[in-house]
Structure formats: C-alpha cells, structure tokens
C-alpha cells in the first residue's frame, strides 16, 4: 500500500510520520489478509475468502495442509463485502466454486451495488474491480443468499451494518461460551493509523464520511465493552484489543492478544 491511501484526506507526510513513530517503514507497508474459520455446532463457517489465485492467496492450501479441511468441508461463507481481496477466493484456480457445499451470505445492499454499477462507471480503477466482482459473485450465484439489516446469520454469528467502505459493508459479532469477538472487516484497515486516527479517510472507501462514522462507532463499542476484535488486514493473526487513549477522545492503541 501507499502510505497516502491510509490518510487520503491528509498530507502523505502526516501518515509517514505516524508510521515512523511506530517503526513501520513506508516502503514496507503491507497488509495481511486474515480469513477467520469458525468451527461450531452450526458447522464450519469461513468469514470471507481472501484474494484466491488472482492475488496469490493460500487459503485452500492452508485449510488442507494445516487443518485437514478441504473446500468441500465449509458449510457457510458470510461475505463482509465484495472487494476482490475478500471474494476472489470464492473460486479456485480453475474458476470453480472453492466451497461447493456452502451457503454464501451477502447483504442485499452490497450485492445490488455491484450488479447495478454500469460497465463503464466513469472511474477506470472501479471499472476493472466491478467486472471482477460481478464475475466472482456470478460464479457462486446458485449458492448466494442475500439478507437485509443485522440478522443472526447462524447461531452465534450476527451481521453488523457498517456502511461506508462499501454500501453494504458488514462486520460480524461472534459469540460462544460467554466470549465475544468483533470482526471489523474493512472498517479499520491498519492497526496503527486506523486506530490512532480513525477520522482519516481510507482511499478505497466508497463513502469516506460514512466509513469514518462506522469505524468510530465500532471502535467506541469495542473499547467500552472491552471486546476482543479481529482485523482482516491487521498483522497475523489479527486478534487483539483497541485500547482507548486516556487523554484523547476517539483515539486507540492496538494491543495484540491471542
């Protein structure tokens, strides 16, 4: 990533200074892609699917080699939103559904946004993304189910409306045996910048101001309720706590914790 993408409404030097204070060289600014597997009485649930073969993803190999699970063993795939690094893993290298036995769940507003975009959006970058997203969702159309609002998608997994990054963007609250985990999806992209400066715009947000409201709301809830969170793009394994600043409102520090 370019540092400027993390603060699209700020001078890039501001972003670089924040990263430097945390010993993150701008030239080495890389984002992880963490895909969450939930095993419960409801079956095996995979939240998002990574970038797949399009982006050198290793999700299927990891499932099989480390966990002894094949794509056919996944029962449910909730999709936070349809950006390529979240849905290109829905198909394998041959373009076939990677999880042939799974229900794929996506917010109706998210699905409609991509399918209703015209082929020529007027934005050259979005044009290519639109075509790829529509192709990927089309490849699993027979398995794809849409929903509205914030339903409990399956026991212990509730969708949360966090629009802005995309119109139908969803996070997830996961509850089991008295413990809770808040899946941030792409509401917070970077474990330093997104938490320390949640008002800065991320360059890939469709509606930056709505994304800021969603981000600050999620972080405020996590801080107030002491929720452990899962960051899709945070350093592996993406688990930890956003700890509120004792002196600055709406500022947080990331504390990694298994």
């Amino acid at each position: 990533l370019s540092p400027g993408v993390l603060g699209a409404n700020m001078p890039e030097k501001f972003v670089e200074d924040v990263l430097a204070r945390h010993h993150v060289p701008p030239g080495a600014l890389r984002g992880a892609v963490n895909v969450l597997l939930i095993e419960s009485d409801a079956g095996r649930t995979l939240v998002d699917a990574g970038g797949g073969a399009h982006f050198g993803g290793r999700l299927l190999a990891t499932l099989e080699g480390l966990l002894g699970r094949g794509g056919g063993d996944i029962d449910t795939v909730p999709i936070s939103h349809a950006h390529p690094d979240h849905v290109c893993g829905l198909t394998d290298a041959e373009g076939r559904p990677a999880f042939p036995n799974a229900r794929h769940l996506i917010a109706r507003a998210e699905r409609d946004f991509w399918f209703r975009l015209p082929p020529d959006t007027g934005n050259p970058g979005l044009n290519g993304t639109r075509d790829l997203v529509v192709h990927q969702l089309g490849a699993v159309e027979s398995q794809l189910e849409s929903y509205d609002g914030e339903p409990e998608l399956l026991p212990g997994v509730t969708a949360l409306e966090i629009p802005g990054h995309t119109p139908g963007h969803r996070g997830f609250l996961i509850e089991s045996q008295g413990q809770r985990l808040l899946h941030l999806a792409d509401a917070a992209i970077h474990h330093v910048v997104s938490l320390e400066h949640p008002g800065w715009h991320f360059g890939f947000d469709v509606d930056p101001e709505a994304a800021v409201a969603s981000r600050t709301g999620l972080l405020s809830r996590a801080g107030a309720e002491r929720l452990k969170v899962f960051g899709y793009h945070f350093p592996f394994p993406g688990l930890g706590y956003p700890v509120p600043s004792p002196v600055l409102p709406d500022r947080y520090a990331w504390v990694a914790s298994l």
Side-chain angles (χ1 to χ4, degrees), residues 103-127:
R103 301 164 61 217
H104 293 50
L105 308 176
I106 189 169
R108 192 180 316 278
E110 184 69 11
R111 185 186 187 281
D112 288 351
F113 169 72
W114 291 103
F115 278 92
R116 290 175 179 172
L117 275 177
D120 185 359
T121 66
N123 181 323
L126 191 57
N127 285 347

Side-chain angles (χ1 to χ4, degrees), residues 6-182:
L6 297 178
N9 57 333
M10 305 298 295
E12 187 165 332
K13 179 66 163 57
F14 284 22
V15 183
E16 292 177 348
D17 288 347
V18 171
L19 294 171
R21 282 195 285 104
H22 291 271
H23 308 286
V24 181
L29 188 57
R30 299 174 61 84
V33 175
N34 303 309
V35 179
L36 185 65
L37 173 67
I38 304 167
E39 296 192 292
S40 70
D41 292 341
R44 298 187 181 96
T45 300
L46 201 65
V47 184
D48 286 335
H54 295 270
F55 298 100
R58 299 187 296 272
L59 177 59
L60 290 176
T62 300
L63 285 171
E64 294 170 3
L66 296 182
L67 301 176
R69 305 280 186 251
D73 295 323
I74 302 301
D75 300 294
T76 312
V77 182
I79 300 167
S80 67
H81 65 295
H83 276 151
D85 56 326
H86 294 254
V87 299
C88 279
L90 295 176
T91 57
D92 62 18
E94 284 72 45
R96 301 168 300 194
F99 313 104
N101 302 318
R103 301 164 61 217
H104 293 50
L105 308 176
I106 189 169
R108 192 180 316 278
E110 184 69 11
R111 185 186 187 281
D112 288 351
F113 169 72
W114 291 103
F115 278 92
R116 290 175 179 172
L117 275 177
D120 185 359
T121 66
N123 181 323
L126 191 57
N127 285 347
T129 300
R130 180 262 182 202
D131 293 344
L132 184 54
V133 168
V134 168
H135 177 271
Q136 289 301 112
L137 295 181
V140 296
E141 186 172 10
S142 64
Q143 301 167 255
L144 194 62
E145 301 175 22
S146 301
Y147 63 88
D148 298 303
E150 298 186 323
E152 187 176 37
L153 299 176
L154 59 154
V157 180
T158 301
L160 303 175
E161 292 185 84
I162 48 173
H165 186 57
T166 59
H169 190 215
R170 292 301 193 270
F172 303 97
L173 182 63
I174 300 151
E175 303 179 80
S176 176
Q177 300 179 354
Q179 295 183 309
R180 297 185 297 166
L181 180 68
L182 182 61

Side-chain angles (χ1 to χ4, degrees), residues 213-227:
S214 291
R215 179 162 48 254
T216 55
L218 274 189
L219 293 175
S220 177
R221 177 177 182 179
E225 299 180 22
R226 300 177 64 85
L227 288 173

Side-chain angles (χ1 to χ4, degrees), residues 189-211:
I189 295 291
H190 194 265
H191 66 294
V192 172
V193 177
S194 299
L195 272 61
E196 189 171 306
H197 297 279
W200 290 5
H201 295 170
F202 178 53
F204 293 101
D205 290 337
V206 172
D207 184 339
E209 290 300 333

